[in-house]
């Protein structure tokens, strides 16, 4: 009985997410202002993705995998809270997304997880030391760029680990392809995030790039929410 209830709730939440997805894309595309902003709608969708993961408990491959997924999704909620709802806490947001990708890398990892954690620590320390050297002897650099670079590496590692998990059939179908597709969409989202921020800072008034700027602003969530839905169901 409880399993049927959970499956029904997953379907209801999935339908709600699809409906809200269409609504906020429509609002973003036509730049429609409403009492409820698109950021609030987007954040609600991310919360629902986490709730879906709590309802798939009996279908999980094993508890460790489920816990890592839920930690990753909960950290995503916190990151999006800083970036969407508080709007401006970029260091906290990107830092939490680093935690998300490290968590997913551990989830997909086939080898020694402790070795993987050590590699992440070493990579971060190398980037941090380079930042300190450049900041003190060459030019002033914002710490945000350190986190952005580290996040890019974490995302790439996570994507590679998901492909390895698919290749070595760590997960059964359809979870194995949902994970890879979810991570690919995650990557596409972050490529658009990078384009949006780079164009906005360097070429704010360029005619052709302004079109790319507007497209990337919509494409971020065009790819991001489907990635979260796929991962929550994986």
């Amino acid at each position: 009985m409880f399993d049927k209830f959970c499956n029904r709730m997953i379907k209801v939440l999935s339908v709600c997410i699809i409906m809200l997805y269409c609504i906020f894309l429509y609002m973003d595309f036509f730049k429609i202002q409403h009492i409820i902003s698109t950021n609030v709608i987007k954040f609600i969708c991310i919360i629902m993705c986490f709730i879906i993961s709590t309802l798939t408990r009996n279908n999980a491959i094993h508890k460790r995998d489920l816990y890592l997924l839920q930690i990753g999704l909960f950290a995503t909620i916190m990151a999006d809270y800083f970036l969407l709802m508080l709007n401006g806490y970029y260091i906290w947001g990107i830092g939490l997304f680093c935690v998300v990708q490290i968590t997913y890398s551990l989830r997909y990892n086939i080898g020694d997880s402790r070795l993987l954690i050590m590699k992440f620590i070493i990579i971060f320390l190398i980037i941090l030391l380079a930042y300190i050297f450049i900041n003190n002897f060459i030019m002033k650099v914002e710490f945000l760029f350190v986190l952005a670079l580290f996040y890019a590496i974490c995302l790439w590692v996570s994507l590679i680990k998901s492909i390895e998990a698919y290749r070595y059939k760590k997960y059964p179908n359809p979870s194995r392809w949902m994970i890879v597709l979810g991570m690919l969409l995650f990557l596409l989202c972050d490529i658009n995030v990078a384009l949006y921020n780079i164009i906005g800072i360097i070429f704010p008034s360029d005619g052709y790039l302004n079109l790319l700027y507007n497209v990337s602003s919509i494409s971020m969530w065009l790819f991001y929410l489907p990635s979260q839905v796929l991962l929550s169901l994986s």
Side-chain angles (χ1 to χ4, degrees), residues 24-200:
F24 74 66
L25 285 179
Y26 178 83
M27 292 175 66
D28 283 346
F29 186 82
F30 291 103
K31 301 185 185 302
I32 297 173
Q33 301 294 328
H34 199 269
I35 297 174
I36 300 177
S37 69
T38 57
N39 282 357
V40 173
I41 298 173
K42 292 168 183 175
F43 189 63
I44 291 171
C45 290
I46 295 301
I47 292 174
M48 287 196 287
C49 288
F50 174 76
I51 294 172
I52 286 174
S53 73
T54 65
L55 297 171
T56 59
R57 180 176 55 191
N58 293 331
N59 295 322
I61 296 172
H62 44 73
K63 288 184 178 180
R64 178 183 179 275
D65 184 80
L66 179 61
Y67 290 154
L68 288 173
L69 172 62
Q70 290 176 343
I71 290 170
L73 290 171
F74 184 76
T76 299
I77 291 176
M78 298 302 298
D80 281 326
Y81 178 76
F82 282 108
L83 295 174
L84 280 178
M85 307 307 294
L86 299 183
N87 189 23
Y89 289 76
Y90 299 113
I91 290 179
W92 280 98
I94 296 175
L96 282 164
F97 269 122
C98 290
V99 173
V100 171
Q101 297 303 339
I102 292 171
T103 302
Y104 286 155
S105 293
L106 292 171
R107 183 191 178 206
Y108 312 141
N109 189 42
I110 297 174
D112 188 346
S113 294
R114 287 174 296 182
L115 179 61
L116 181 61
I117 293 172
M118 285 302 301
K119 287 180 179 179
F120 277 121
I121 293 172
I122 292 170
I123 290 170
F124 180 75
L125 289 176
I126 291 172
I127 295 174
L128 184 61
L129 289 173
Y131 162 75
I132 293 171
F133 177 81
I134 293 171
N135 206 46
N136 284 282
F137 298 104
I138 300 177
M139 59 183 290
K140 294 295 180 182
V141 179
E142 291 188 27
F143 185 70
L144 186 64
F145 291 108
V146 172
L147 284 179
L149 176 58
F150 182 61
Y151 172 74
I153 294 171
C154 291
L155 173 61
W156 183 252
V157 172
S158 184
L159 175 62
I160 296 302
K161 292 293 181 182
S162 72
I163 294 172
E164 289 177 354
Y166 178 89
R167 181 183 175 187
Y168 293 105
K169 298 181 179 179
K170 180 178 180 179
Y171 299 93
N173 285 322
S175 293
R176 58 197 291 254
W177 64 261
M178 292 171 74
I179 288 171
V180 173
L181 182 57
M183 294 309 303
L184 285 171
L185 291 171
F186 217 139
L187 175 63
L188 290 173
C189 162
D190 286 321
I191 288 173
N192 280 280
V193 170
L195 286 173
Y196 177 81
N197 286 285
I198 291 170
I199 295 171

